[in-house]
């Protein structure tokens, strides 16, 4: 059975970068919520006369947030049982706080946590200043709201936890602050694959 690995954390932590870097070394498909939702979110926000690049406001969350997670999980769950591992990328803030969420998701395809190896990579950075630096460095219009409301956004940058009933060994907190990305990539690969990890 392939692995279902979640890369969770705030915007700018480097979730997608880490997932893609490990996927470049392993047979894995990356399902990034931002990418999967983007066409629908742009259309929905535009139809409501709102900023199509907004990904953080209350209006966006009301109109698009849950749709994004549904699209992402439907795509990921459809790949359970194939040869490639599945990397799912997104904040998943509300979902990670619900102990029963992962069980309900797997039940949609008739599976349980006993049948699917679920792992969680909680990606973070040293402090809010580093988050801001990383966000500025990616030059994305999708981050404009974050900068305009930095005080509110930065309050969400603390350490993350996951309430799902997983053994502690299946959850890893990864500090992605090191300037050499390979340091975090190696840590993530070792966590996911253990002794299978490449040197």
């Amino acid at each position: 059975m392939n692995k279902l690995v979640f890369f969770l954390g705030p915007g700018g932590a480097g979730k997608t970068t880490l997932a893609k870097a490990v996927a470049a070394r392993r047979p894995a498909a990356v399902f990034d919520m931002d990418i999967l939702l983007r066409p629908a979110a742009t259309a929905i926000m535009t139809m409501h006369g709102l900023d199509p690049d907004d990904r953080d406001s209350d209006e966006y969350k009301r109109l698009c947030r849950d749709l994004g997670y549904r699209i992402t999980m439907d795509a990921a769950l459809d790949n359970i049982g194939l040869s490639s591992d599945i990397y799912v990328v997104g904040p998943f803030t509300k979902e990670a706080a619900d102990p029963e969420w992962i069980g309900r998701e797997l039940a949609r395809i008739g599976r349980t946590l006993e049948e699917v190896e679920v792992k969680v990579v909680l990606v973070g950075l040293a402090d809010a200043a580093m988050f801001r630096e990383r966000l500025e460095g990616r030059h994305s219009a999708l981050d404009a709201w974050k900068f305009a409301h930095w005080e509110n956004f930065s309050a969400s940058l603390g350490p993350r936890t996951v309430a799902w009933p997983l053994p502690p060994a299946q959850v890893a907190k990864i500090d992605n602050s090191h300037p050499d990305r390979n340091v975090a990539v190696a840590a993530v690969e070792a966590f996911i694959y253990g002794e299978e990890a490449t040197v």
Side-chain angles (χ1 to χ4, degrees):
M1 178 66 68
N2 49 354
K3 297 174 175 63
L4 176 59
V5 184
F6 290 85
F7 287 73
L8 312 185
K15 302 181 296 296
T16 301
T17 300
L18 287 179
K20 286 185 174 181
V22 179
R25 301 158 61 117
R26 295 285 179 168
V30 178
F31 295 90
D32 186 331
M33 191 194 73
D34 284 345
I35 298 299
L36 292 169
L37 176 61
R38 188 167 297 172
T42 298
I44 291 168
M45 296 296 281
T46 300
M47 284 190 300
H48 284 83
L50 300 168
D51 180 0
D53 290 329
D54 173 11
R55 295 297 182 272
D56 294 281
S57 70
D58 289 341
E59 291 87 355
Y60 166 80
K61 291 173 182 175
R62 177 176 59 85
L63 293 168
C64 303
R65 183 198 184 279
D66 290 348
L67 174 64
Y69 285 103
R70 186 70 272 136
I71 291 170
T72 303
M73 287 308 300
D74 281 356
L77 292 170
D78 193 51
N79 283 266
I80 294 289
L82 301 182
S83 58
S84 295
D85 291 329
I86 303 159
Y87 296 171
V88 180
V89 182
F92 284 81
T93 310
K94 181 173 67 175
E95 292 75 12
D98 180 354
E100 298 180 1
W101 181 84
I102 187 62
R104 290 196 304 268
E105 287 296 310
L106 293 175
R108 295 171 69 92
I109 58 167
R111 303 279 189 174
T112 67
L113 278 171
E114 287 70 36
E115 297 171 307
V116 178
E117 184 179 359
V118 175
K119 293 193 172 187
V120 178
V121 180
L122 296 168
V123 186
L125 297 174
D127 52 40
M130 184 166 284
F131 273 102
R132 187 171 187 111
E133 180 183 332
R134 295 279 178 90
L135 288 168
E136 289 172 345
R138 68 188 193 181
H139 305 290
S140 173
L142 302 182
D143 293 327
W145 188 97
K146 297 178 180 68
F147 294 126
H149 303 83
W150 185 253
E151 186 174 345
N152 288 338
F153 175 72
S154 62
S156 71
L157 300 178
R160 298 285 175 98
T161 59
V162 61
W164 305 340
L166 300 174
Q170 289 175 221
V171 179
K173 293 185 178 182
I174 300 294
D175 183 347
N176 195 27
S177 303
H178 199 285
D180 182 355
R181 184 186 69 188
N182 291 321
V183 172
V185 171
V188 172
E189 187 179 23
F191 162 66
I192 296 173
Y193 297 100
E195 294 180 358
E196 303 172 31
T198 58
V199 178

